[in-house]
């Protein structure tokens, strides 16, 4: 299973399936979640690739009010950092500045995820 499929499978129940790579369609009702792989690395040793990988994934939650956004962000955090869990483990989390560019409340986190082999 690809990392993106695992992310969708784990976050979909939190937002009634309204989880989108990149951006949500214009007519999507909040709350919803968007995510994007923003970087990563492959593990190497002196002998070459060691089979490990890390991905940096930005996850944004969007809601009509700040409290609802906070609650969804907390549920998302709990799910993505849950161990053991299918698809990947979490190696780190960083909160990014909130987004108020739209009419919605956006809370953003960047997760370092370690996909399962």
């Amino acid at each position: 299973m690809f990392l993106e499929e695992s992310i969708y499978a784990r976050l979909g129940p939190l937002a009634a399936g309204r989880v989108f790579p990149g951006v949500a369609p214009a007519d999507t009702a909040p709350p919803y979640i968007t995510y994007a792989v923003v970087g990563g690395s492959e593990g190497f040793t002196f002998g070459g690739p060691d089979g490990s990988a890390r991905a940096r994934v930005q996850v944004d939650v969007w809601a009509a009010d700040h409290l609802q956004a906070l609650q969804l962000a907390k549920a998302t955090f709990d799910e993505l950092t849950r161990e053991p869990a299918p698809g990947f483990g979490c190696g780190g989390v960083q909160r990014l500045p909130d987004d108020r560019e739209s009419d919605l409340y956006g809370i953003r986190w960047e997760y370092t995820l370690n996909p399962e082999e």
Side-chain angles (χ1 to χ4, degrees):
M1 180 179 288
F2 290 107
L3 176 62
E4 290 87 347
E5 292 174 305
S6 296
I7 292 169
Y8 181 84
R10 288 175 60 177
L11 296 183
L14 302 179
R18 293 185 303 270
V19 178
F20 306 96
V23 298
D27 60 346
T28 302
Y32 60 86
I33 300 170
T34 59
Y35 65 91
V37 177
V38 295
S41 62
E42 301 293 324
F44 278 84
T45 65
F46 289 119
D50 66 7
S52 67
R54 294 179 94 94
R56 290 187 358 261
V57 179
Q58 182 175 323
V59 178
D60 302 351
V61 301
W62 302 95
D65 66 65
H66 190 62
L67 180 59
Q68 186 180 44
L70 287 171
Q71 291 168 339
L72 184 55
K74 172 70 168 109
T76 299
F77 178 91
D78 290 346
E79 180 57 37
L80 293 180
T81 59
R82 179 172 59 91
E83 300 282 345
F88 54 84
C90 184
V93 182
Q94 177 180 356
R95 177 124 183 216
L96 302 173
D98 292 352
D99 188 331
R100 285 292 293 141
E101 295 295 321
S102 65
D103 290 334
L104 299 175
Y105 290 86
I107 297 178
R108 305 181 312 173
W109 292 79
E110 186 175 292
Y111 295 85
T112 299
L113 303 180
N114 305 313
E116 289 181 347
E117 304 281 324

